[in-house]
Amino acid sequence: CASPRSSAKMAALLAPLVLLVALGRPAISGAQATEGAAAAPHRRFEYKYSFKGPHLVQADGTVPFWVHTGNAIPSADQIRITTSLKSQKGSVWTKTKSIFEYWEVEVTFRVTGRGRIGADGLAIWFTEEQGLEGPVFGAADKWNGVGIFFDSFDNDAKKNNPGVIVVGNNGKLLYDHQNDGSTQALASCQRDFRNKPYPVRVKITYYQKTLTVLINNGFTPDKEDYEFCAKVEDMVLPSQGYFGISAATGGLADDHDVLSFLTFQLTEPGKEAPTPDAEIPQKDKEKYQEEFEHFQQELDKKKEEFQREHPDVQGQPGKTPCAFLLAADDVFETVSDRELRQIFEGQNRIHLEIKQLNRQLDMILDEQRKYVSAVTEEIAKRGAGFPGQQGQVSQQEIETVVKTQEEVIRQVKEIRSSVTDALRSISGAQHAGSAGVYETTQHFNDIKEHLHVVKRDIEHLVQRNMPSSEKQKCPELPPFPSCLSTMHFFIFVAVQTVLFIGYVMYR
């Protein structure tokens, strides 16, 4: 099926050829042109055989004019036929049979799953009886009618799935699961309908004993961008039947969501379509009229009460009760909006936690630098003030202390760089969506490993630089009330590091 742009280019190229052909053949009569234009059937929407969100479900959890069975879950804007769990079955069916011979349905659905391969699939039905539950994509076998199957799993290992298969049945045949219905298929096409950016749309038309299946691949939001899939001629279906849609999962699982199911009655050009009023009995019309009047009175009362309670908003544009009702509707959110909001809130919390960890690491680094500078100054003062006791503090011990502090500073810098990389990854993950959650977890694990390495190194340094019993203590000087020994310093650093690691683990 060519796009409108390519069709226009092709028409422009073929215009001279069409003109030459027209000059060489007799012109088409006006009667023939009128007959071709009038061949299109009359199309009328049937609300009793359709559903569409929003506000799809009533207060009791049912869908008007439809019945759902199995694992089907109706919501405000869609019906989830099956969830992405193993061995699920569900279906929805019209409560009454259709009263028209020819019809057209437009179905909008999503099939989404985490795996590269999904199962089992989804089916659209028109059958003489309701197939509420069974082994054929969640519906009953041996149906009398037609089923259009959107098969996700390749049972026969021919690599021809996902695909669309049209299977008819007279109520006596068993569906051939092992061969994906290839031995019973009247028509088929190979289309991938899983995990598409837009909902997949299918248009199924049964008119003058010809069944046609058109499909929108889900790559464009254009509702009328259909491609030809399958066609079955000379197909005889029951004059009256039930419309339904079902789905099932097996060892693999997908979410099968139906957003809308719109049914239209098709009438041949020579016949008149029955008017809606002719189908409603007089008693029902009187009943509906009485209910409408009662509803209108209740609405007027509510308006008067609102005007009495809010006299300041009278006469102001946009301050009508309807405007307040629309504002109240904006408070609610769809399932996809809620999931997206939760993902971003979680990533923002991770972002703030890593920022806090980065600030704490900066504080530790500053403290370590202060301790190094203080120890260096203290050693320099002692060496200058007491030249006779210079030999008590050897140059090797001074170098050991300095090297130890440099090692601690280097480890803290490595932790800081790791946290900075993790923070940068989290910032990128907020734009990439849920795909960055795994990388965020990996960065946290890297930070934890670095902290454990720092802890082990500090403990090793403390044990290695532990003063022996033969070493002389620092001399007590009158100007200084106390002296910070190397052992006390490293013990303090180790305790502070352990407390910090415990605090991080607690967070």
Side-chain angles (χ1 to χ4, degrees), residues 422-442:
L423 185 62
R424 190 180 301 109
S425 301
I426 290 298
S427 301
Q430 289 184 347
H431 299 285
S434 59
V437 176
Y438 173 77
E439 296 180 0
T440 303
T441 307
Q442 186 65 28

Side-chain angles (χ1 to χ4, degrees), residues 224-283:
E224 299 300 328
D225 187 12
Y226 287 103
E227 298 177 355
F228 176 79
C229 176
K231 184 176 182 181
V232 182
E233 297 181 348
D234 297 329
M235 188 173 192
V236 179
L237 295 179
S239 58
Q240 296 182 356
Y242 295 92
F243 291 98
I245 184 167
S246 66
T249 62
L252 302 175
D254 285 334
D255 287 325
H256 297 88
D257 301 324
V258 181
L259 283 67
S260 65
F261 192 106
L262 306 180
T263 305
F264 299 88
Q265 175 184 348
L266 302 181
T267 308
E268 296 180 6
K271 299 180 181 179
E272 284 189 14
T275 59
D277 293 337
E279 301 175 4
I280 303 177
Q282 185 64 26
K283 294 182 180 180

Side-chain angles (χ1 to χ4, degrees), residues 1-2 109 124 147-151 160 162-167 185-193 200-205 211-217 225-232:
C1 180
F109 64 89
I124 301 173
I148 296 89
F149 303 151
F150 296 83
D151 195 347
N160 54 356
V164 183
I165 306 169
V166 180
V167 179
L186 301 177
S188 64
C189 68
Q190 189 172 354
R191 294 289 186 275
D192 187 5
F193 48 82
V200 177
R201 299 177 180 273
V202 179
K203 181 184 290 186
I204 304 170
T205 305
L211 184 75
T212 307
V213 180
L214 305 177
I215 187 170
N216 184 324
N217 54 18
D225 187 12
Y226 287 103
E227 298 177 355
F228 176 79
C229 176
K231 184 176 182 181
V232 182

Side-chain angles (χ1 to χ4, degrees), residues 87-103:
S87 302
Q88 299 284 299
K89 294 180 181 179
S91 64
V92 288
W93 294 84
T94 56
K95 292 183 178 179
T96 58
K97 286 187 176 182
S98 63
I99 57 175
F100 39 86
E101 183 179 5
Y102 301 131
W103 43 265

Side-chain angles (χ1 to χ4, degrees), residues 16-139:
L17 181 60
V18 172
L19 180 60
L20 293 175
V21 173
L23 293 174
R25 60 177 296 177
I28 301 175
S29 63
Q32 292 176 346
T34 305
E35 182 180 355
H42 177 74
R43 193 167 178 261
R44 192 185 76 180
F45 177 66
E46 297 291 341
Y47 68 94
K48 290 186 178 181
Y49 308 94
S50 307
F51 64 82
K52 183 181 180 181
H55 313 297
L56 181 60
V57 181
Q58 293 180 331
D60 57 353
T62 61
V63 180
F65 307 109
W66 291 74
V67 58
H68 63 277
T69 62
N71 302 113
I73 305 174
S75 61
D77 54 353
Q78 66 182 18
I79 299 179
R80 175 155 289 182
I81 309 298
T82 60
T83 57
S84 54
L85 299 174
K86 294 182 179 180
S87 302
Q88 299 284 299
K89 294 180 181 179
S91 64
V92 288
W93 294 84
T94 56
K95 292 183 178 179
T96 58
K97 286 187 176 182
S98 63
I99 57 175
F100 39 86
E101 183 179 5
Y102 301 131
W103 43 265
E104 181 179 89
V105 295
E106 296 179 0
V107 185
T108 306
F109 64 89
R110 287 183 183 271
V111 179
T112 55
R114 297 182 180 180
R116 184 178 59 86
I117 302 174
D120 281 338
L122 179 140
I124 301 173
W125 302 92
F126 177 78
T127 58
E128 190 175 10
E129 299 295 336
Q130 293 176 332
L132 298 178
E133 189 173 355
V136 185
F137 297 97

